Amino acid sequence: MMKIIRTSLVQMQVGADRLKNLENAAKLIADAKKLGAQLVALPECFNSPYGTNFFHEYAETIPNGPTSNMLSEAARENSVYLVGGTFPEIENNKYYNTCTVWNPHGKLIAKFKKMHLFDIDIPGKITFKESDILSPGSDLVTFDVEGVKVGLGICYDLRFEELAKLYRLQGCKVLIFPAAFNMTTGPIHFELLQRARAVDNQLFVCAISPARNESGYIAWGHSQITSPWGKVMVQAKDKEEIIQADIDLTECDDVRRQIPIFYQRRIDLYDTIKKK
Ligand SMILES: NC(=O)CCC(=O)C(=O)O
């Protein structure tokens, strides 16, 4: 099993031109490789602006489409595991917000559909309803990086502790969330939620945002890698940037042994208490 995974998060600028977005992503993946990355991850909706009015226009089938082709080629050319952010997928006349993962040979090894759709209403601040267009996925998806189990979620999924807990129970040591938090919830929740999921489940959490844009849905940025201790290892600012950290899996084993909460849970009691 791999002990250390050099992981790069690509906080890229995203605009309306799909081809430009794909070219930019390909260049930044190659830059990450030059920095020694073994695992590279892109943000949510990296091939299009983020918004319900864009999902139909930018949707593609997977794995046959320009975005899948670029991701497969970039993974193979740079010989990296590539978490290809997300892009809108069309499958059987339904639309999904989908994350694909490619191995160093360019093979599609995982596909995760956003499970909890981003439907919120904060009057005067932000109203968003992904479910107007998108359907939710209903499967947890993991993949393997040389013996290390990695779980996938997308942005709003980060808020649901059950998802992260189930991944921990499946044996994951790393969770990856392509994301695009906004300017209202981002400053107060983005870092906090990542640290909460990391410390609750004693695993690494990576979340990758687009860089801050100037109009439309404005992304908070601040992509981050968090350790199983809940420590922020590295955090981006708001501009286009690659952040990188060496994820040392022994840290997971250490904290799980030293603070053995998963063996100390009173699962004999929780159901009974809930039913009282
Ligand atoms: N794209 C998303 O799911 C955004 C999630 C978000 O901003 C939040 O506050 O949650």
Side-chain angles (χ1 to χ4, degrees):
M1 186 194 289
M2 223 176 204
K3 283 271 177 252
I4 293 181
I5 308 173
R6 181 160 289 187
T7 303
S8 288
L9 310 188
V10 174
Q11 180 169 291
M12 57 176 279
Q13 196 71 57
V14 176
D17 185 330
R18 181 191 331 231
L19 191 61
K20 262 200 191 151
N21 293 331
L22 297 187
E23 283 169 1
N24 191 28
K27 178 197 163 293
L28 291 166
I29 294 162
D31 289 349
K33 173 65 182 187
K34 283 181 206 137
L35 298 170
Q38 295 159 302
L39 172 62
V40 180
L42 303 179
E44 183 177 28
C45 267
F46 81 96
N47 82 353
S48 73
Y50 181 56
T52 47
N53 48 329
F54 298 109
F55 293 143
H56 285 144
E57 181 187 342
Y58 287 84
E60 298 179 24
T61 52
I62 296 172
N64 300 311
T67 302
S68 293
N69 291 343
M70 182 285 287
L71 292 169
S72 168
E73 221 171 285
R76 189 179 49 77
E77 274 176 4
N78 296 291
S79 190
V80 291
Y81 286 88
L82 178 59
V83 177
T86 80
F87 55 97
E89 176 187 16
I90 177 161
E91 188 186 67
N92 299 327
N93 292 321
K94 284 188 172 175
Y95 292 84
Y96 301 93
N97 188 346
T98 300
C99 174
T100 57
V101 184
W102 308 81
N103 76 7
H105 302 290
K107 182 169 181 277
L108 180 66
I109 53 169
K111 189 171 95 157
F112 172 83
K113 296 172 171 150
K114 192 173 190 172
M115 187 178 271
H116 305 90
L117 296 180
F118 180 45
D119 288 0
I120 68 167
D121 183 18
I122 307 175
K125 301 279 189 193
I126 175 169
T127 301
F128 204 99
K129 200 154 179 240
E130 276 191 323
S131 66
D132 276 346
I133 309 291
L134 301 179
S135 298
S138 43
D139 294 312
L140 294 182
V141 177
T142 65
F143 65 99
D144 194 274
V145 177
E146 315 296 332
V148 180
K149 206 170 200 183
V150 181
L152 293 168
I154 299 172
C155 203
Y156 200 55
D157 288 328
L158 187 54
R159 289 189 178 274
F160 297 85
E161 57 180 5
E162 294 90 341
L163 175 132
K165 171 80 47 73
L166 287 167
Y167 277 135
R168 160 79 205 258
L169 293 170
Q170 287 188 6
C172 289
K173 292 190 169 171
V174 182
L175 299 183
I176 299 187
F177 294 86
F181 265 60
N182 62 84
M183 297 298 290
T184 300
T185 60
I188 187 151
H189 290 161
F190 195 41
E191 176 184 327
L192 174 69
L193 286 167
Q194 293 174 67
R195 296 186 64 202
R197 298 295 86 87
V199 82
D200 277 352
N201 296 292
Q202 304 175 307
L203 38 68
F204 290 90
V205 172
C206 303
I208 318 92
S209 171
R212 180 92 41 88
N213 47 327
E214 266 149 33
S215 57
Y217 180 97
I218 300 181
W220 166 238
H222 293 80
S223 303
Q224 181 175 311
I225 302 179
T226 309
S227 82
W229 284 92
K231 184 168 167 243
V232 178
M233 298 170 74
V234 59
Q235 189 184 72
K237 296 196 168 56
D238 58 337
K239 305 246 166 357
E240 184 162 277
E241 180 182 354
I242 296 173
I243 58 166
Q244 189 175 73
D246 284 340
I247 285 183
D248 182 348
L249 281 315
T250 54
E251 210 181 306
C252 254
D253 301 334
D254 288 348
V255 69
R256 289 177 183 193
R257 194 179 56 255
Q258 291 160 3
I259 311 176
I261 48 174
F262 267 67
Y263 304 100
Q264 295 167 330
R265 288 179 307 142
R266 295 298 309 273
I267 42 184
D268 57 320
L269 289 181
Y270 301 149
D271 259 2
T272 328
I273 292 169
K274 204 169 80 186
K275 280 178 198 144
K276 268 189 193 163

